[in-house]
Amino acid sequence: MISTQMTRELPLLREDPLGIATPAGTRCGDFLLAFRQAAEGAIPWRYDFASWQNASSGEDWRLLLQRVNETWKGYPLLAGTVGEWNLLLLGELNGTMSHLRERLELLHDIVTGRTSAESLNGHFLLMAYDQGRREWHVFTDRFGTLHAYYAFDGRRAALGTFSPSVAAAASHKQLNWPAISAFFSQGFFPKDQTFFADVRILRPASHFVFDCSGRMLEEKRYWHWWHQPDQERSYDETVEQFAQIFEKVMSDATCEGRVGLPISGGLDSRSTVAGLSTNHDNKNIWAYSYGYTDDSVETRIAARISRTSNVPFQTFTIEPYLFGNLDRVMDSVEGFQDVTQCRQAAVLDQIAPNADYVIAAHWGDVWMDTMGLADKNANECDDSTIVNHALKRVKKQGREWLLRNISDAQLHGEDADQILDQTVVDEMSELKQIKCPDFRMKAFKTDNWSFRWTTTSLRTFQPAAFPRLPFYDTRLADFFCTVPSKFFFQRQLQVDYLKRFAPELAKITWQAHDANLFDYQKRSKLLPKRAVKKVWRLVTGKKQIERNWEVQFLNAKGRANLEALLVTPGLRLHEFVSPLKIRGLLGEFYTDPNAEKRGYAVSMLLTLSAWLEKHG
């Protein structure tokens, strides 16, 4: 049974015959399962707002939870006991199950093996304690969207949602330089690696088993990638089937709670608006958009979309917010993403009063586009060709300064590029069952880029609202696995969905092409318009801001803050790179910010320094 102390901290109710269960609406901040661990006072917590609360304990372990508050809204929580199993679900299951009983019965069937974990659909982490065997079982969702970390130092072990607390509980804290070098090279960590050699992230679609002392007994993937295009279904039928599935997904994602809906000038957020327009009265929807200037093209397009769909709407301009909120951003992304990439951090105080949940339309652009290999079949594309194509996609321009000035001295003769090359070879070898080169590339990108970069940024929403992820819904993913890759060429299927099922939205400009979806391919019609805009930019000298680091760094305060965080004497960063070299980089950057992709190098250097100071 879950302890009475947990009952006091997280109000529970009885729902016979399934034992105790949390009521709808319960949330927790983070969890930490500590094995053979001393007092929790030495373990850090996110946002420094509340200490750990002892929720349950065994002979060698303790389950610690945190409350939510105004600075961290955490995760929806479902906890209950069924038979000899204590069940804990962080996050949400997609679809609607009206009773806690149904949800707990499903989770019990999963952990006992009566039902395959493949049937789980959502943004979640499932933990279960088997009282009979004294074992902990953990299930990640199919795409690993809710992150958990595990550490084992040879004596102590820990599992939790906040990596610094896991490291404090059970890590030797030895920096993992091969992994950090891969982070420099591609902008995200490889495989299951983190900053510390003995701390790892739990990978997607996997079932883990731990004994009562925290030793990992088993790690097994419960779902594997597949791709079987339906050759009997026509293109038009495919568009129609996508519409049916997507609108059901959007209906489920917006049926409960106050929902924030970000809108941009692209196709993915526009699709989420189209998905709710036919089956929702929109009364609980609040839409918003943000751009880098008051007259942003992005927010102008978003405003037209919101007016067409009749949803309440606000616009915001991204100001230089980063340095005043760097601790907040670092506590959200935990150093696993370039801190300039999370521009939603600028509007958290505006999201919080208006939404309990936010629709994050991430990864739609990957599912619904091609990866550059759609015109190749398996006979034309051998394994090395696909690996080389992947490497071109993931290697960041601007990485060279970081590798030359930091990694080379720490790798003791190893080559950073070779380390990353081998990682891609290893990851691609797990996907050989996929014959279509383009879809294999898509699966690789989802299991790596999405898992370690895209979904990291989701936590930036959580000081304000919990994200719901339509394009990670397994109903859509299973559908995409049946679509021929050629149908996605140049976003055609998504364009035709909007033209057919939301023509008024399709008439609005697509920012990437500066034309609506009916005209964007009519080059001769668009050339005069583009020529006029180019002349206007030349005459006015007005430069379009395209990247967040331009707003955050390219001003006097930004430069002063950068120098304070990168060259102030005594920084931990200087153990690995001299202030003199950093000053040289900053001088070159402010002389010509766009040359040699220096903005990327400076952003990643700032990320490393901020992480070393706060969590390293």
Side-chain angles (χ1 to χ4, degrees):
M1 294 286 289
I2 297 177
S3 72
T4 55
Q5 183 170 354
M6 183 174 179
T7 304
R8 288 196 299 272
E9 293 299 323
L10 297 167
L12 303 176
L13 55 86
R14 290 191 176 276
E15 185 164 321
D16 192 65
L18 295 173
I20 60 175
T22 53
T26 301
R27 292 197 180 196
C28 79
D30 281 290
F31 88 86
L32 178 68
L33 184 59
F35 300 88
R36 298 180 176 177
Q37 172 61 39
E40 62 267 20
I43 301 173
W45 45 81
R46 200 186 306 261
Y47 288 104
D48 295 333
F49 68 80
S51 62
W52 292 103
Q53 304 294 315
N54 196 31
S56 187
S57 60
E59 184 177 342
D60 285 325
W61 57 265
R62 287 181 305 150
L63 177 63
L64 307 173
L65 296 178
Q66 286 184 294
R67 287 181 172 178
V68 299
N69 82 343
E70 292 305 309
T71 60
W72 179 248
K73 300 299 176 62
Y75 309 89
L77 173 69
L78 172 63
T81 300
V82 184
E84 292 195 332
W85 287 87
N86 299 133
L87 305 170
L88 190 74
L89 183 89
L90 267 71
E92 293 186 312
L93 299 178
N94 295 341
T96 54
M97 289 183 286
S98 58
H99 299 293
L100 294 174
R101 176 189 181 110
E102 292 180 74
R103 300 176 191 179
L104 288 173
E105 284 178 337
L106 171 62
L107 300 181
H108 184 247
D109 286 347
I110 297 295
V111 300
T112 56
R114 294 194 188 98
T115 301
S116 170
E118 287 187 33
S119 63
L120 289 173
N121 177 20
H123 174 39
F124 69 85
L125 185 77
L126 170 61
M127 298 175 59
Y129 182 63
D130 183 344
Q131 299 176 35
R133 294 180 177 271
R134 298 172 65 216
E135 293 176 347
W136 279 93
H137 293 247
V138 180
F139 295 81
T140 54
D141 68 51
R142 184 182 293 188
F143 302 114
T145 60
L146 201 158
H147 292 173
Y149 306 88
Y150 171 71
F152 179 64
D153 66 3
R155 183 180 66 86
R156 304 170 304 163
L159 175 72
T161 47
F162 186 47
S163 61
S165 66
V166 172
S171 172
H172 290 296
K173 293 193 173 182
Q174 295 178 339
L175 289 176
N176 185 355
W177 279 107
I180 294 170
S181 298
F183 179 47
F184 290 159
S185 291
Q186 60 184 1
F188 55 89
F189 275 81
K191 299 183 178 179
D192 61 355
Q193 298 177 52
T194 71
F195 283 100
F196 295 127
D198 54 6
V199 179
R200 53 184 292 200
I201 191 170
L202 301 189
R203 299 197 74 173
S206 296
H207 173 201
F208 302 83
V209 183
F210 304 89
D211 69 17
C212 60
S213 65
R215 289 184 179 272
M216 186 182 291
L217 303 177
E218 184 179 2
E219 175 183 356
K220 185 177 181 181
R221 193 168 172 107
Y222 63 76
W223 177 85
H224 296 275
W225 283 94
W226 57 277
H227 185 234
Q228 297 175 355
D230 186 342
Q231 304 296 347
E232 302 298 319
R233 185 179 57 203
S234 71
Y235 176 78
D236 287 343
E237 290 170 338
T238 303
V239 174
E240 183 171 353
Q241 188 170 348
F242 168 74
Q244 292 171 354
I245 297 171
F246 188 66
E247 289 175 11
K248 174 58 177 171
V249 168
M250 283 304 302
S251 177
D252 291 344
T254 55
C255 70
E256 180 181 294
R258 300 177 305 153
V259 179
L261 185 64
I263 305 177
S264 70
L267 297 187
D268 296 334
S269 62
R270 186 176 319 201
S271 296
T272 63
V273 175
L276 61 85
S277 61
T278 60
N279 52 33
H280 204 287
D281 61 15
N282 301 337
K283 288 181 180 178
N284 65 330
I285 304 294
W286 169 76
Y288 67 93
S289 183
Y290 41 72
Y292 292 127
T293 59
D294 293 340
D295 61 347
S296 162
V297 173
E298 186 171 4
T299 54
R300 287 205 307 270
I301 294 171
R304 288 189 61 193
I305 292 171
S306 69
R307 286 195 299 271
T308 300
S309 303
N310 195 31
V311 293
F313 178 72
Q314 282 183 268
T315 62
F316 308 100
T317 300
I318 302 297
E319 303 287 350
Y321 71 88
L322 179 62
F323 293 104
N325 288 276
L326 190 56
D327 275 356
R328 191 182 201 184
V329 172
M330 185 57 60
D331 273 338
S332 294
V333 300
E334 301 165 38
F336 293 120
Q337 186 185 65
D338 166 3
V339 291
T340 71
Q341 296 292 322
C342 318
R343 62 178 186 161
Q344 62 264 41
V347 296
L348 293 175
D349 292 338
Q350 288 73 40
I351 295 174
N354 291 289
D356 306 305
Y357 304 92
V358 62
I359 299 297
H362 297 56
W363 220 240
D365 59 332
V366 175
W367 284 122
M368 305 202 70
D369 201 352
T370 52
M371 298 290 101
L373 297 173
D375 59 340
K376 307 290 184 183
N377 58 44
N379 296 327
E380 298 174 302
C381 233
D382 60 16
D383 293 345
S384 63
T385 301
I386 300 174
V387 166
N388 289 334
H389 184 76
L391 286 167
K392 289 178 182 177
R393 289 265 176 155
V394 300
K395 285 185 178 179
K396 295 288 189 181
Q397 297 181 50
R399 71 188 187 280
E400 294 83 2
W401 190 96
L402 300 163
L403 298 180
R404 184 174 64 250
N405 291 281
I406 302 178
S407 295
D408 285 354
Q410 306 300 326
L411 292 176
H412 306 295
E414 289 187 87
D415 183 87
D417 277 338
Q418 289 181 4
I419 292 170
L420 182 59
D421 292 357
Q422 188 58 52
T423 295
V424 174
V425 169
D426 293 343
E427 293 297 289
M428 279 295 185
S429 70
E430 300 295 321
L431 300 168
K432 285 187 175 181
Q433 73 275 13
I434 300 174
K435 301 304 180 185
C436 171
D438 201 79
F439 197 85
R440 191 189 303 182
M441 180 67 197
K442 192 171 291 187
F444 162 80
K445 194 170 182 180
T446 304
D447 260 1
N448 292 274
W449 190 317
S450 166
F451 172 47
R452 299 309 308 272
W453 188 84
T454 306
T455 56
T456 293
S457 67
L458 297 175
R459 290 195 295 273
T460 314
F461 285 113
Q462 287 181 239
F466 188 72
R468 288 175 172 167
L469 317 174
F471 286 106
Y472 289 92
D473 192 293
T474 61
R475 291 169 290 187
L476 270 180
D478 287 340
F479 165 75
F480 292 139
C481 290
T482 70
V483 178
S485 290
K486 63 183 180 182
F487 285 4
F488 293 122
F489 187 66
Q490 296 183 344
R491 310 290 291 270
Q492 194 60 50
L493 189 148
Q494 193 173 19
V495 168
D496 287 338
Y497 159 68
L498 288 163
K499 288 164 66 175
R500 180 173 171 184
F501 292 92
E504 294 306 311
L505 295 179
K507 293 175 183 176
I508 298 171
T509 300
W510 180 7
Q511 186 175 346
H513 291 270
D514 195 21
N516 67 48
L517 303 190
F518 295 96
D519 293 338
Y520 76 99
Q521 292 178 317
K522 299 175 181 177
R523 296 178 60 86
S524 60
K525 181 178 179 179
L526 297 174
L527 283 174
K529 175 184 177 183
R530 291 172 180 170
V532 168
K533 287 195 171 185
K534 184 176 181 179
V535 170
W536 180 83
R537 287 194 298 270
L538 290 172
V539 170
T540 62
K542 188 170 185 179
K543 182 182 179 295
Q544 186 173 348
I545 299 175
E546 298 177 339
R547 291 153 298 198
N548 193 24
W549 61 256
E550 296 178 78
V551 177
Q552 308 310 319
F553 297 165
L554 300 184
N555 55 76
K557 287 187 177 179
R559 182 166 188 167
N561 280 311
L562 261 184
E563 291 177 350
L565 288 163
L566 295 180
V567 297
T568 296
L571 291 174
R572 295 178 180 180
L573 178 66
H574 300 162
E575 297 177 35
F576 312 108
V577 58
S578 73
L580 183 63
K581 288 184 177 180
I582 297 171
R583 285 191 181 278
L585 173 64
L586 291 178
E588 293 173 336
F589 171 68
Y590 280 104
T591 299
D592 189 350
N594 293 303
E596 300 179 355
K597 301 295 181 181
R598 291 172 186 142
Y600 174 78
V602 171
S603 297
M604 292 294 281
L605 192 62
L606 172 63
T607 302
L608 177 63
S609 183
W611 179 84
L612 286 168
E613 292 302 310
K614 190 167 182 64
H615 299 310

